[in-house]
Amino acid sequence: MHEVGIILNAIELAVEKAEAAGATSISRLCLRVGALSGVVPDALEFGFDLASKGTMADHAKLEIVQVPARCRCANGCGEFEPDSPVYSCPACGAISSIVLQGKELDLVEIDVN
Amino acid sequence: MESSSNARVLAVGKAILEKNDGLASRLREEFKRQGIFVLNVVSSPGSGKTELLAKTLRLLTSQIKVGVIVGDLATNHDAERLSGHGAEVLQIETDGYCHLEANMIQSAADQLGVVGLDLLIIENVGNLVCPASHDLGEDIRVTLLSVTEGEDKPLKYPTIFKSSQAVVITKTDLATAVEFDRELAITNISSVTPQAKILETSARTGAGIEAWAEFLLTAQKAKIG
């Protein structure tokens, strides 16, 4: 489980941003987590309370926006959101390796005081 | 609850792993400048990474200069198994960490001394989940699937397979004993990662090892020219 390390990175980024803006506390972190990021949102939440203790983000709300995978069919059928690990086009059945989104693992914004 | 006039939203818009990713990009550039091809080998624990590499090193080191960085939670057993095949080997003990990160590769590469190498092999910690998220500055990522693990591993752990340029089926000498369904495994691999090259090897009998070594030499030459 590498989510604790990842949430520590997110808190560090948030604290750097908050300090640079002269803030004294962080009340919300908003993360964007893609279905292909290799990160489990529940595990991030599990690690957050412990990881944020004693930092500016102590007691902050962790908001996770999940980003589904999105592909484009190479046969020109358009874009689709796969519903399984096999990215087959719902129109023609061809397997796509053109991934348009889903790898995101970003700190989007924070609320500070 | 609090309506302090100082309350505000700050846009950040940064990749959470930007430090790792940034360092991995710098390592990739540096390795490229030095003409070093870098391979990141991942798999479940016990899929045969070390044995495959030990057998491969014998074929590679007669032709090119190879270095190996091997990661494990504890012990230097794998480094011992990989030494004596003509490559410099360095063990990283992650002390419980479940994957390697770019900063570990940076310091291991410094300790190993990569100057003059043609190929740097990184044997990641045995784990099909966490290594998927961490770029190490490699040129290609290769995932191993041993016949004893079951044909549906690519469906259960799609992220790591999707991020791999090649998949090596290992321990093929045991295929009959474990009733391994080769066709199904290959269908599963290519449906999850259609662009990946699929190789089949047995470190015990030597089957497929030459083709795998040739794949690496070709990929290395394609990069270095």
Side-chain angles (χ1 to χ4, degrees), chain A residues 12 21 85 107-108 110 112, chain B residues 8 10 12 14 16 19 162:
Chain A
E12 195 182 319
L107 177 62
V108 181
I110 55 177
V112 297
Chain B
R8 59 209 189 271
L10 300 176
V12 185
K14 282 186 172 180
I16 293 170
K19 281 183 183 154
K162 284 179 191 298

Side-chain angles (χ1 to χ4, degrees), chain B residues 96-112:
Chain B
Y97 243 63
C98 56
H99 60 274
L100 296 177
E101 297 192 356
N103 63 333
M104 302 179 190
I105 299 305
Q106 183 182 40
S107 57
D110 285 346
Q111 279 184 64
L112 182 72

Side-chain angles (χ1 to χ4, degrees), chain B residues 6-138:
Chain B
N6 258 345
R8 59 209 189 271
V9 180
L10 300 176
V12 185
K14 282 186 172 180
I16 293 170
L17 291 175
E18 67 163 6
K19 281 183 183 154
N20 184 79
D21 295 347
L23 178 56
S25 297
R26 290 196 295 280
L27 287 174
R28 189 175 287 107
E29 280 304 304
E30 180 57 23
F31 290 139
K32 185 180 175 189
R33 197 184 62 75
Q34 296 193 38
I36 306 169
F37 183 70
V38 184
L39 167 70
N40 180 6
V41 183
V42 296
S43 80
S44 308
S47 295
K49 291 186 293 300
T50 309
E51 198 57 25
L52 175 67
L53 293 177
K55 293 286 158 60
T56 313
L57 284 178
R58 293 179 188 172
L59 295 177
L60 296 175
T61 52
S62 60
Q63 303 180 59
I64 57 172
K65 199 158 187 301
V66 185
V68 185
I69 294 170
V70 51
D72 279 296
L73 273 66
T75 81
N76 63 350
H77 292 176
D78 282 1
E80 285 174 6
R81 287 170 61 197
L82 289 166
S83 60
H85 300 301
E88 289 297 321
V89 182
L90 186 95
Q91 178 81 50
I92 299 177
E93 284 184 55
T94 64
D95 205 17
Y97 243 63
C98 56
H99 60 274
L100 296 177
E101 297 192 356
N103 63 333
M104 302 179 190
I105 299 305
Q106 183 182 40
S107 57
D110 285 346
Q111 279 184 64
L112 182 72
V114 294
V115 176
L117 288 186
D118 301 302
L119 170 66
L120 175 64
I121 299 174
I122 301 166
E123 182 186 327
N124 217 314
V125 178
N127 180 340
L128 281 180
V129 183
C130 313
S133 305
H134 292 85
D135 185 2
L136 302 180
E138 72 265 31

